[in-house]
Amino acid sequence: MSRISGSSLELDAFDVAILAILQRDNQTPQRRIAEAIHLSAPAVQRRIHRLEAGGIITANVALLDPAKVGQHLTIVVNVDLERERSALIDEAKKAFLAESGVQQCYYVAGETDFVLILNVPSMGDYEALTRRLFFANSNIKRFRTFVVMDRVKTGTALSLDKVPGVSAAQ
């Protein structure tokens, strides 16, 4: 068993196998998971509840194709702040969180302060977003836009190959 950093929850190979299946399809019936990993369905159910209660499983969501719901443009934006005081950083985080076009937001170390992943219907919508989010904020020093030409790989699944203390084979 392995204790996960920041959690009192310990994972074993069964937990890792359950997580791998749920990352591929979180609607997989528990009886099918049980058959695949050689546990009973009630044991799988108890483990899933423990993983949810322990904060390892944080959400059960449907992943959508942005283009099929009218979000035709994916844009990556690097944002640099003018001043980097904690209150101003928190203000920027709050603004990015509140903007529906921001799909992902990362506060990063390095040559830029934030990396945003945006999904918008059109360049006109992106321009309106830039006016609201960047030009109207006096603490935004600069932003650099990268328009995604092709979604080569996207996903949310985490690699479970090297969970500390858990052997890959069960």
Side-chain angles (χ1 to χ4, degrees):
M1 284 219 210
S2 171
R3 190 169 307 280
I4 299 302
S5 177
S7 171
S8 62
L9 190 64
E10 292 186 1
L11 297 183
D12 63 18
F14 289 116
D15 295 321
V16 170
I18 290 168
L19 291 170
I21 291 168
L22 292 176
Q23 282 193 117
R24 284 190 303 274
D25 181 359
N26 76 336
Q27 292 187 336
T28 303
Q30 291 176 1
R31 66 174 165 33
R32 192 167 344 141
I33 296 171
E35 291 167 3
I37 66 171
H38 309 292
L39 281 179
S40 69
V44 168
Q45 182 180 33
R46 283 190 301 275
R47 285 172 177 268
I48 290 172
H49 287 304
R50 184 174 58 85
L51 293 164
E52 291 171 339
I56 302 295
I57 296 174
T58 60
N60 290 292
V61 300
L63 300 178
L64 308 179
D65 181 329
K68 291 182 180 174
V69 293
Q71 304 297 309
H72 298 285
L73 290 176
T74 300
I75 299 172
V76 179
V77 182
N78 290 355
V79 179
D80 299 334
L81 299 180
E82 190 70 48
R83 295 168 305 285
E84 295 186 49
R85 293 192 311 271
S86 62
L88 295 171
I89 291 167
D90 290 344
E91 185 180 298
K93 288 178 182 179
K94 184 177 177 182
F96 299 149
L97 277 168
E99 178 58 54
S100 65
V102 177
Q103 183 184 40
Q104 297 173 50
C105 173
Y106 301 95
Y107 175 52
V108 300
E111 293 188 26
T112 195
D113 296 309
F114 288 92
V115 176
L116 308 178
I117 309 296
L118 311 173
N119 285 101
V120 294
S122 68
M123 283 305 285
D125 291 288
Y126 177 60
E127 180 185 6
L129 182 145
T130 63
R131 289 177 184 274
R132 277 191 316 275
L133 210 53
F134 307 137
F135 293 122
N137 184 338
S138 64
N139 196 38
I140 302 293
K141 181 179 185 177
R142 108 179 107 255
F143 65 95
R144 287 175 298 290
T145 300
F146 305 90
V147 177
V148 173
M149 294 172 45
D150 186 13
R151 293 171 36 126
V152 178
K153 180 179 180 181
T154 63
T156 59
L158 299 175
S159 172
L160 299 172
D161 295 341
K162 294 183 170 94
V163 174
V166 178
S167 68
Q170 172 62 36

